[in-house]
Amino acid sequence: MPKTVEKQNSLVEEIERLKKERGALIMAHYYQRPEIQKIADCIGDSLALARAAARTDAPVIVMCGVHFMGETAKLLCPGKTVLVPDTDAGCSLADSCPPDDFAAFIKAHPGHTVISYVNTSAAVKALTDIVVTSGNARKIVDSLPEGEKIIFGPDRNLGSYINAVSGRDMVLWPGACHVHQRFSPEKIAALKAAHPEAKVLVHPECPEPVRLMADKIGSTAALLDYARQLPEGSEMIVATESGILVEMERLCPGRKFIPAPPDDSTCGCNECGYMKLNTLEKLRDCLRDMKPAIEIDPDIAEKARRPIDRMLEISDRLGV
Ligand code: 13P
């Protein structure tokens, strides 16, 4: 057996043993490395991970994703230990919205309901009325009374998508995800010319020129559902972080998935370097050492939990 496979197998065994000893639940976002998705007890989009965190009885959660996902789990489970393999796994979108600047933005727009994407720090959530994910944002906004004044942050692309489909005029914070912002409409058009039958699947964090090329716009989970419904032999060009292809290929045999390329690279796929910081070694280490654990200032945590609870309530009521 090659040495790398042997090493990976022994890490997997160690993680399984430590997981049992700690009573831990390992969660992973679809953008994680294949070996991490494989070992996780639960994989999903941001909404599914938040729901699973809210439901679990496990005393320890390991969140393999980026920092805000660990924070969301901790806000929902303050009594549990929430571990993350690497605290440097941040989020460019969350970083594009510093809490003090967002507070000033809110002050400059009095009388607005504040909706924040889940890709935000706990401090920004503490300034928020309702949190949303890409899986429920559109329906939650639609459920608010017509004419309600809304601030939407921090993703201007998701916000402009919702404005376009709902006819709203939400005030948008000018943030973006560095991965989704980079997709190239020209390169997608070239792929489409080479694969004319291919459907184009696009995450709503992409800019409008890319969204306009889409056959389906949705969260990672929604794109996966769409892919599962297409018949065998279908081809799909996928404009979101390429980690989603692991689960698409696993669940949709007989279909061809083509990652949409970024504009500034000769490499064919678009990866989030933060998501890929998590490795099996770091996962083993955090279970062994019970650190790094997420800690949140109690005052911020109390305020930040409310808009997440509100999201889960509305989302359950709307069935999204
Ligand atoms: P979803 O998990 O809601 O598809 O969003 C992806 C994402 O932006 C993760 O940072």
PDB file of all heavy atoms in Angstrom, residues 25 27 42 47-56 61:
ATOM      1  N   LEU A  25     -19.530  14.952  17.392  1.00  0.00           N
ATOM      2  CA  LEU A  25     -20.182  14.904  16.077  1.00  0.00           C
ATOM      3  C   LEU A  25     -19.307  15.726  15.124  1.00  0.00           C
ATOM      4  O   LEU A  25     -19.009  16.888  15.403  1.00  0.00           O
ATOM      5  CB  LEU A  25     -21.575  15.535  16.182  1.00  0.00           C
ATOM      6  CG  LEU A  25     -22.405  15.526  14.908  1.00  0.00           C
ATOM      7  CD1 LEU A  25     -23.010  14.136  14.671  1.00  0.00           C
ATOM      8  CD2 LEU A  25     -23.524  16.572  14.996  1.00  0.00           C
ATOM      9  N   MET A  27     -18.993  17.657  11.758  1.00  0.00           N
ATOM     10  CA  MET A  27     -19.791  18.262  10.678  1.00  0.00           C
ATOM     11  C   MET A  27     -18.847  18.844   9.632  1.00  0.00           C
ATOM     12  O   MET A  27     -17.790  19.369   9.973  1.00  0.00           O
ATOM     13  CB  MET A  27     -20.625  19.414  11.208  1.00  0.00           C
ATOM     14  CG  MET A  27     -21.643  19.002  12.222  1.00  0.00           C
ATOM     15  SD  MET A  27     -22.699  20.423  12.488  1.00  0.00           S
ATOM     16  CE  MET A  27     -23.596  19.829  13.876  1.00  0.00           C
ATOM     17  N   CYS A  42     -21.935  14.378   9.304  1.00  0.00           N
ATOM     18  CA  CYS A  42     -23.010  15.176   8.716  1.00  0.00           C
ATOM     19  C   CYS A  42     -22.370  16.172   7.769  1.00  0.00           C
ATOM     20  O   CYS A  42     -21.437  16.882   8.156  1.00  0.00           O
ATOM     21  CB  CYS A  42     -23.690  15.842   9.909  1.00  0.00           C
ATOM     22  SG  CYS A  42     -24.493  17.361   9.652  1.00  0.00           S
ATOM     23  N   LEU A  47     -27.177  26.155   6.006  1.00  0.00           N
ATOM     24  CA  LEU A  47     -28.463  26.006   6.707  1.00  0.00           C
ATOM     25  C   LEU A  47     -28.553  24.621   7.362  1.00  0.00           C
ATOM     26  O   LEU A  47     -28.919  24.500   8.537  1.00  0.00           O
ATOM     27  CB  LEU A  47     -29.620  26.212   5.711  1.00  0.00           C
ATOM     28  CG  LEU A  47     -31.029  26.100   6.278  1.00  0.00           C
ATOM     29  CD1 LEU A  47     -31.258  27.111   7.408  1.00  0.00           C
ATOM     30  CD2 LEU A  47     -32.088  26.321   5.183  1.00  0.00           C
ATOM     31  N   ALA A  48     -28.206  23.583   6.615  1.00  0.00           N
ATOM     32  CA  ALA A  48     -28.284  22.221   7.165  1.00  0.00           C
ATOM     33  C   ALA A  48     -27.345  22.073   8.356  1.00  0.00           C
ATOM     34  O   ALA A  48     -27.696  21.420   9.349  1.00  0.00           O
ATOM     35  CB  ALA A  48     -27.938  21.202   6.086  1.00  0.00           C
ATOM     36  N   LEU A  49     -26.180  22.691   8.278  1.00  0.00           N
ATOM     37  CA  LEU A  49     -25.225  22.568   9.388  1.00  0.00           C
ATOM     38  C   LEU A  49     -25.763  23.291  10.630  1.00  0.00           C
ATOM     39  O   LEU A  49     -25.638  22.798  11.749  1.00  0.00           O
ATOM     40  CB  LEU A  49     -23.852  23.123   8.991  1.00  0.00           C
ATOM     41  CG  LEU A  49     -23.120  22.350   7.876  1.00  0.00           C
ATOM     42  CD1 LEU A  49     -21.793  23.019   7.528  1.00  0.00           C
ATOM     43  CD2 LEU A  49     -22.879  20.891   8.249  1.00  0.00           C
ATOM     44  N   ALA A  50     -26.379  24.459  10.429  1.00  0.00           N
ATOM     45  CA  ALA A  50     -26.956  25.181  11.572  1.00  0.00           C
ATOM     46  C   ALA A  50     -28.081  24.348  12.198  1.00  0.00           C
ATOM     47  O   ALA A  50     -28.165  24.215  13.422  1.00  0.00           O
ATOM     48  CB  ALA A  50     -27.483  26.545  11.133  1.00  0.00           C
ATOM     49  N   ARG A  51     -28.920  23.765  11.346  1.00  0.00           N
ATOM     50  CA  ARG A  51     -30.023  22.941  11.860  1.00  0.00           C
ATOM     51  C   ARG A  51     -29.487  21.733  12.622  1.00  0.00           C
ATOM     52  O   ARG A  51     -29.975  21.386  13.685  1.00  0.00           O
ATOM     53  CB  ARG A  51     -30.884  22.442  10.710  1.00  0.00           C
ATOM     54  CG  ARG A  51     -31.811  23.488  10.156  1.00  0.00           C
ATOM     55  CD  ARG A  51     -33.085  22.803   9.640  1.00  0.00           C
ATOM     56  NE  ARG A  51     -34.103  23.788   9.344  1.00  0.00           N
ATOM     57  CZ  ARG A  51     -34.393  24.196   8.096  1.00  0.00           C
ATOM     58  NH1 ARG A  51     -33.740  23.703   7.059  1.00  0.00           N
ATOM     59  NH2 ARG A  51     -35.333  25.089   7.911  1.00  0.00           N
ATOM     60  N   ALA A  52     -28.468  21.078  12.065  1.00  0.00           N
ATOM     61  CA  ALA A  52     -27.918  19.884  12.713  1.00  0.00           C
ATOM     62  C   ALA A  52     -27.289  20.262  14.052  1.00  0.00           C
ATOM     63  O   ALA A  52     -27.412  19.520  15.037  1.00  0.00           O
ATOM     64  CB  ALA A  52     -26.892  19.218  11.800  1.00  0.00           C
ATOM     65  N   ALA A  53     -26.635  21.430  14.110  1.00  0.00           N
ATOM     66  CA  ALA A  53     -26.037  21.870  15.378  1.00  0.00           C
ATOM     67  C   ALA A  53     -27.121  22.116  16.412  1.00  0.00           C
ATOM     68  O   ALA A  53     -26.984  21.746  17.586  1.00  0.00           O
ATOM     69  CB  ALA A  53     -25.217  23.145  15.151  1.00  0.00           C
ATOM     70  N   ALA A  54     -28.232  22.701  15.972  1.00  0.00           N
ATOM     71  CA  ALA A  54     -29.321  23.018  16.914  1.00  0.00           C
ATOM     72  C   ALA A  54     -29.942  21.730  17.471  1.00  0.00           C
ATOM     73  O   ALA A  54     -30.468  21.727  18.579  1.00  0.00           O
ATOM     74  CB  ALA A  54     -30.384  23.872  16.220  1.00  0.00           C
ATOM     75  N   ARG A  55     -29.868  20.650  16.722  1.00  0.00           N
ATOM     76  CA  ARG A  55     -30.560  19.403  17.092  1.00  0.00           C
ATOM     77  C   ARG A  55     -29.711  18.407  17.877  1.00  0.00           C
ATOM     78  O   ARG A  55     -30.245  17.580  18.593  1.00  0.00           O
ATOM     79  CB  ARG A  55     -30.988  18.688  15.796  1.00  0.00           C
ATOM     80  CG  ARG A  55     -32.399  18.962  15.348  1.00  0.00           C
ATOM     81  CD  ARG A  55     -32.855  17.951  14.340  1.00  0.00           C
ATOM     82  NE  ARG A  55     -31.859  17.642  13.336  1.00  0.00           N
ATOM     83  CZ  ARG A  55     -31.846  18.137  12.103  1.00  0.00           C
ATOM     84  NH1 ARG A  55     -32.785  18.976  11.723  1.00  0.00           N
ATOM     85  NH2 ARG A  55     -30.924  17.794  11.241  1.00  0.00           N
ATOM     86  N   THR A  56     -28.394  18.474  17.722  1.00  0.00           N
ATOM     87  CA  THR A  56     -27.589  17.349  18.216  1.00  0.00           C
ATOM     88  C   THR A  56     -27.537  17.261  19.751  1.00  0.00           C
ATOM     89  O   THR A  56     -27.616  18.264  20.439  1.00  0.00           O
ATOM     90  CB  THR A  56     -26.130  17.412  17.691  1.00  0.00           C
ATOM     91  OG1 THR A  56     -25.457  16.250  18.127  1.00  0.00           O
ATOM     92  CG2 THR A  56     -25.387  18.629  18.185  1.00  0.00           C
ATOM     93  N   ILE A  61     -18.948  19.265  19.286  1.00  0.00           N
ATOM     94  CA  ILE A  61     -19.146  19.394  17.830  1.00  0.00           C
ATOM     95  C   ILE A  61     -17.799  19.795  17.226  1.00  0.00           C
ATOM     96  O   ILE A  61     -17.133  20.702  17.749  1.00  0.00           O
ATOM     97  CB  ILE A  61     -20.182  20.501  17.524  1.00  0.00           C
ATOM     98  CG1 ILE A  61     -21.574  20.094  18.020  1.00  0.00           C
ATOM     99  CG2 ILE A  61     -20.207  20.815  16.023  1.00  0.00           C
ATOM    100  CD1 ILE A  61     -22.607  21.219  17.922  1.00  0.00           C
TER     101      ILE A  61
END
